[in-house]
Amino acid sequence: MTSREDILARLRARLNRSEANAAAARAALEATLAAKAIGPRPAIDTQKSALAGRLIEKSLAQSSTVDCVASLAEAPAAVARYLATNGLPAQAVVWPALAALDWAGVGLAIQARGAVDADRVGITGCFCAIAETGTLMLCSGPATPATVSLLPETHIALVPASRIVPAMEEAFALARAELGALPRAVNFVSGPSRTGDIEQTIVLGAHGPSRVHLLLIEGA
Amino acid sequence: MKSRAHRFKENAAASLANPVLQANLRTAKGKFVDKRAIAIKELDDFEATREAAKDIRNRVLEHLDLWLEKFEEVACARGAKVLWAKDGEEVCRLVVEIGKQHGVKKAVKSKSMLSEEAGLNQALEAAGIRPVETDLGEYILQINDNEPPSHIIAPVVHKSLDEVADLFAKTHKTPRKTDIPALTREAREVLREHFLSAEMGISGGNFLIAETGSVALVTNEGNGRMVTTLPRVHVVITGIEKVIPTLEDLATLMRLLPRSATGQSISNYVSLLTGVKAAGESDGPEHLYFILVDSGRAGLVGSEFQDMLRCIRCGACMNHCPVYQTIGGQAYGWGYPGPMGSVLTPLYTGLENALDLPHAATLCNQCGVVCPVKIPLPDLLRRLREKQLENHLRPWFERMALKAWAWVAERPSLYALATRFGVRYLAWLAGGQKSIPLLGIAPGWTQGRDFPAPEGKTFRELYRARSR
Ligand code: SF4
C-alpha cells in the first residue's frame, strides 16, 4: 500500500467514511467551494477617496512612503524626483508591462525585465491595492516578474486609484473575474521587509526591499 | 529532531538556573502580548472572527479525506506533484530523492516546522545536499551548531544581542558588531548568495487552499518569497491538516494569524503559490512538489484531541503562558513549546515520552482565551493527564496519594479534620510569618519560591463563621 492510500485509508476509517455518506459529503464540499462565504470583517468606508485615504494611512503605518500624481504620464517624473531625493541612481529595472511609459524623457535609464541581484531599484505596478491593511497585490507573469519587487533594495509601486479595493475578499473576486485562475505567484506586500528576530527589535530590510514607495495615480 | 521532552524537569531546572536565559526571557516578556492586545481591537468583532476561523478549520477536519483529495486534484491540474509521507523518515527520503533527481547541491529553507520534526537537515547533509536556513532566527540557530528553537515564530527569543554578535563574528569571520541593523545587514548579504545559488527551495506552508491548489506562505523577512521564486525546484512540506476551502477563508484566517502572532495587522508578505513557472516567465520554479505529512495527525482525526488540529501555529498560547515565560521554549524538549507543545508533543511522540508536559501548566486558561481558533488547550491537557492515569503511566506513589486523597475527600468530616490539622500545622511552621521559606515534606516546592502561609483557619471554617 502506498503512503497516500495508507493515510487516506486511516482517515476514512476514523471518519466512518462509506460509499453512502461520501456522496453527501462531497456535495457539501462542492457547495462550500461554490459559496465562497465571507467571514466577519471590519467595516470600511468604500467611497473612492476614503479607500485611497485608508490605503495611504495604513501604508505609512507599515513604514512605506507615499506620493500622489494626477495621471500615469506624470509617473516617470515623480519616480525620478524620488530617486534624486533619496540619493539613488537614475536607473531602474521595471516591469515589462510598464516599459511603454516615457522613462527616457525624464532621464531615467530603464531596463524592462526581471530583476537580478545587482539592480538597486525595481519599479512595478500592482494588480490592485487593499485599503484595509495597506497592502499591494502583485501577480506574477511574463510582463510582471516577481523578482522586481523582491531583489532590489528599493521598490516603487505605481498604484492606480481605480484599483484600490476594500479588502482581500474584493481582491480575490477581482482576480477571479479578470484572470480566471490564479497566476503562479500572488504576492501581497505590506511595507518593506523586516525582522524582529534579534531581541524583538524591528529592523527594515531583511531579505526583501528596505524601502517601499507607493505612487498613487489619481486619474488612473 | 530527537525529542528531549522526557527530561522536562531537568531541562526546566536548568533554564531556571541560567541567569542569561532568565534575563533574555525578561526582556522578551510581554512584547507580543501588548502588541496583540492593540491589534485585535482593529477588528470590529474579534470573537465572531475567532468563531468563523474555528468553523473553517472544523469544516475541513470533519471531511479531511475528501478535502485532501480535492486539494491534490486541483494542485496537480496546475502542474504540481503531490506526494504523501507517513512520517518524518519518509519526508527525509522523499526530499533527498527529489534533490538527487534534480542534481541539487544546496537547498535554501524557509521556516518549516515539519522539517524540524523530521530532522530533515541532517538527512540532507548525509546525502551531500547543503541545507541553509534563511529565516534570520533559524539561521542563527543553525550556525550555533543546530541549536533547537525556543519559540515557533521567534525561534531565538531566548538569545541576547551579545550572543548573536559573538556568533556572527565567529561564523562570518567579520569584526564583532553589536548594532542590530548591522547584524541584520550582514545576514542579508551572506544569505543573498545562498538564495542566488541554491537549486532547491524548501518551505513549510501556513495553509493549503483547496479551491486553487495553492500554498499560502506568511513571512516578514521575505525569505519565503526568495525560496519560492529563485531556485528551480520548490518543495512544500506541510501537515495534512493544513487544508482550508477557499480564498475567502484565507482572508478570514489572515485577519487572525498575524495579529495573534506578532500583533501585526498583516504580515509583510503573504504569498500564494500555485503551480509552476509559466511559458515566458523569467522567474519561479520549474518543479513544484507538495509533501503532505501525517506523522501522527491522522490518528487525532475523529478523536477527543481533534480540536488540536485546528492550530494555525501563531504562538499566542505560549506568549501568554506563565510557565513558558518562566522557563523558555527549549525546556519543552521538542519543536513545539508552550501549551500547544504540551498537547502536541505527547500526542505525536508518545504519551510515555513526554510525561511531564501535560502537567507543565497551571490550567489558568490564558492560552484558551487567546487562541484564535478556540482550541480548549486546558481541557486537552487535562484529558492527557487522565490518559496517563488510564494507561498506568503515573508513578505508584502518585496513584496511591490520589487514591488516599479521594478516600478522605469522600468523607466530609474526616476531610474537614484533616484540613483543619493541615492549616494549623502550616501556620505553626510559618511561626507568624506570611510565608514558609522551606517546606520539609515538599522541598521541591520551596526551592524557587516561598510557600504562602495559611492564616490559621480553613475556608470552610471561615465560611461557616461568616454565614452565621
Ligand atoms: S494552539 Fe492556538 S494559540 Fe497556540 S499556536 Fe495554535 S492556534 Fe496559536
Side-chain angles (χ1 to χ4, degrees):
Chain A
M1 188 154 48
T2 65
S3 293
R4 177 185 187 278
E5 282 161 32
D6 177 81
I7 294 169
L8 285 173
R10 263 178 320 130
L11 285 174
R12 287 181 198 125
R14 299 213 59 102
L15 293 166
N16 299 319
R17 180 70 59 221
S18 65
E19 285 292 328
N21 67 28
R26 250 185 223 112
L29 177 154
E30 292 299 339
T32 301
L33 288 178
K36 308 190 196 319
I38 290 177
R41 51 190 193 145
I44 281 186
D45 187 342
T46 53
Q47 279 185 5
K48 212 178 154 191
S49 61
L51 285 180
R54 182 167 175 128
L55 179 74
I56 293 171
E57 178 200 325
K58 294 287 167 185
S59 299
L60 294 174
Q62 328 260 12
S63 311
S64 295
T65 51
V66 183
D67 191 7
C68 300
V69 292
S71 71
L72 198 56
E74 288 167 47
V79 169
R81 269 201 308 279
Y82 173 81
L83 295 179
T85 326
N86 288 283
L88 292 162
Q91 60 190 51
V93 53
V94 64
W95 269 4
L98 295 173
L101 292 177
D102 185 15
W103 302 103
V106 294
L108 290 182
I110 286 299
Q111 300 204 30
R113 53 166 169 76
V116 295
D117 186 40
D119 292 319
R120 293 183 59 193
V121 179
I123 304 173
T124 73
C126 64
F127 177 74
C128 67
I130 296 168
E132 180 182 334
T133 47
T135 301
L136 299 167
M137 178 177 177
L138 309 175
C139 290
S140 71
T144 56
T147 43
V148 180
S149 61
L150 182 61
L151 294 178
E153 280 255 26
T154 302
H155 171 206
I156 303 173
L158 276 45
V159 183
S162 64
R163 301 292 291 185
I164 305 175
V165 298
M168 242 188 203
E169 283 86 350
E170 284 77 16
F172 289 135
L174 203 59
R176 286 191 194 105
E178 293 182 2
L179 309 173
L182 290 185
R184 181 191 64 75
V186 173
N187 286 299
F188 293 99
V189 176
S190 310
S193 82
R194 70 194 62 203
T195 176
D197 272 347
I198 306 178
E199 295 197 345
Q200 281 109 66
T201 303
I202 304 293
V203 177
L204 297 185
H207 294 302
S210 56
R211 285 195 207 98
V212 174
H213 182 65
L214 271 63
L215 192 54
L216 202 66
I217 322 277
E218 276 151 5
Chain B
M1 184 175 189
K2 270 232 171 60
S3 169
R4 291 161 30 256
H6 57 286
R7 290 172 40 197
F8 176 77
K9 280 191 183 149
E10 289 161 59
N11 300 343
S15 299
L16 286 169
N18 179 342
V20 181
L21 176 67
Q22 286 298 317
N24 296 344
L25 286 171
R26 271 195 300 279
T27 312
K29 199 169 175 168
K31 281 195 188 170
F32 287 141
V33 172
D34 297 346
K35 285 194 189 166
R36 170 193 173 274
I38 297 168
I40 62 168
K41 291 215 187 86
E42 296 168 347
L43 299 178
D44 298 348
D45 199 340
F46 177 59
E47 282 311 313
T49 317
R50 280 175 89 207
E51 199 58 47
K54 173 183 163 186
D55 288 347
I56 291 169
R57 303 291 291 129
N58 280 348
R59 191 169 304 136
V60 169
L61 293 173
E62 276 154 23
H63 299 291
L64 187 57
D65 54 338
L66 302 178
W67 282 105
L68 282 164
E69 284 173 331
K70 185 75 194 178
F71 172 80
E72 181 185 43
E73 176 196 323
V74 181
C76 289
R78 284 294 302 262
K81 290 200 179 69
V82 178
L83 309 171
W84 304 65
K86 274 187 284 211
D87 51 27
E89 226 170 281
E90 197 167 7
V91 172
C92 294
R93 187 172 57 71
L94 289 170
V95 180
V96 166
E97 268 171 27
I98 296 168
K100 290 210 164 131
Q101 189 191 330
H102 296 287
V104 173
K105 302 232 156 34
K106 189 194 286 177
V108 276
K109 296 178 66 202
S110 151
K111 195 169 167 52
S112 151
M113 314 263 337
L114 251 164
S115 100
E116 272 159 38
E117 265 184 53
L120 178 62
N121 285 4
Q122 289 77 346
L124 286 172
E125 270 161 27
I129 298 172
R130 180 174 172 193
V132 181
E133 297 289 349
T134 64
D135 170 86
L136 179 56
E138 295 283 334
Y139 174 72
I140 291 169
L141 295 174
Q142 191 183 26
I143 61 174
N144 195 27
D145 201 15
N146 295 309
E147 185 186 343
S150 71
H151 191 286
I152 57 172
I153 54 155
V156 290
V157 68
H158 62 290
K159 277 210 159 349
S160 68
L161 169 57
D162 268 331
E163 291 172 274
V164 178
D166 288 342
L167 202 54
F168 272 34
K170 192 178 99 197
T171 313
H172 300 153
K173 315 226 175 338
T174 48
R176 187 175 188 276
K177 27 184 117 47
T178 50
D179 173 40
I180 297 177
L183 288 166
T184 306
R185 182 93 222 161
E186 187 167 307
R188 175 188 168 106
E189 278 158 19
V190 170
L191 288 167
R192 186 56 79 98
E193 289 302 314
H194 290 306
F195 286 127
L196 294 167
S197 56
E199 302 90 351
M200 177 157 85
I202 299 174
S203 73
N206 293 85
F207 302 105
L208 300 173
I209 296 140
E211 175 195 349
T212 55
S214 322
V215 59
L217 273 186
V218 181
T219 74
N220 279 314
E221 297 182 3
N223 58 324
R225 287 192 63 191
M226 290 281 186
V227 160
T228 60
T229 305
L230 300 176
R232 50 189 167 78
V233 183
H234 174 199
V235 182
V236 184
I237 308 174
T238 68
I240 52 173
E241 82 281 22
K242 290 285 169 119
V243 184
I244 59 171
T246 63
L247 294 171
E248 280 71 11
D249 295 330
L250 176 69
T252 297
L253 288 160
M254 283 311 300
R255 289 197 176 89
L256 293 173
L257 175 57
R259 286 187 172 92
S260 303
T262 51
Q264 289 171 282
S265 320
I266 183 89
S267 305
N268 276 83
Y269 299 112
V270 181
S271 300
L272 272 176
L273 303 155
T274 316
V276 294
K277 179 175 181 168
E281 269 196 286
S282 59
D283 49 43
E286 291 151 34
H287 306 276
L288 171 64
Y289 296 89
F290 287 97
I291 303 182
L292 307 180
V293 192
D294 177 358
S295 275
R297 287 152 176 83
L300 303 190
V301 172
S303 81
E304 56 192 323
F305 296 103
Q306 176 171 303
D307 288 343
M308 196 59 223
L309 293 175
R310 289 202 297 269
C311 177
I312 57 172
R313 307 284 190 262
C314 71
C317 53
M318 57 200 75
N319 294 339
H320 290 77
C321 175
V323 177
Y324 175 91
Q325 284 183 5
T326 313
I327 58 172
Q330 288 177 340
Y332 290 80
W334 206 44
Y336 303 110
M340 58 88 82
S342 294
V343 176
L344 281 179
T345 307
L347 290 174
Y348 288 173
T349 68
L351 290 186
E352 65 286 3
N353 296 320
L355 283 178
D356 294 324
L357 291 189
H359 301 267
T362 63
L363 302 184
C364 68
N365 198 31
Q366 270 291 307
C367 50
V369 169
V370 297
C371 176
V373 285
K374 299 186 101 163
I375 299 173
L377 290 154
D379 291 347
L380 300 181
L381 289 167
R382 215 175 288 118
R383 253 175 256 168
L384 280 167
R385 294 180 185 183
E386 286 164 14
K387 278 239 133 132
Q388 291 184 347
L389 262 181
E390 284 161 23
N391 296 3
H392 306 289
L393 289 167
R394 297 311 302 173
W396 66 268
F397 52 89
E398 192 181 304
R399 290 202 309 268
M400 290 309 293
L402 274 176
K403 275 215 179 95
W405 180 84
W407 192 83
V408 177
E410 279 168 12
R411 290 161 178 79
S413 47
L414 185 61
Y415 188 82
L417 190 71
T419 49
R420 259 203 315 270
F421 172 75
V423 293
R424 281 177 181 86
Y425 168 71
L426 288 171
W428 172 78
L429 213 58
Q433 301 300 308
K434 282 219 172 322
S435 58
I436 305 166
L438 185 68
L439 207 58
I441 47 165
W445 183 277
T446 44
Q447 234 163 48
R449 56 204 176 304
D450 290 345
F451 190 90
E455 307 226 327
K457 288 206 165 131
T458 68
F459 174 75
R460 292 210 295 180
E461 284 175 308
L462 292 170
Y463 186 76
R464 206 170 302 138
R466 276 198 204 157
S467 40
R468 243 184 239 139

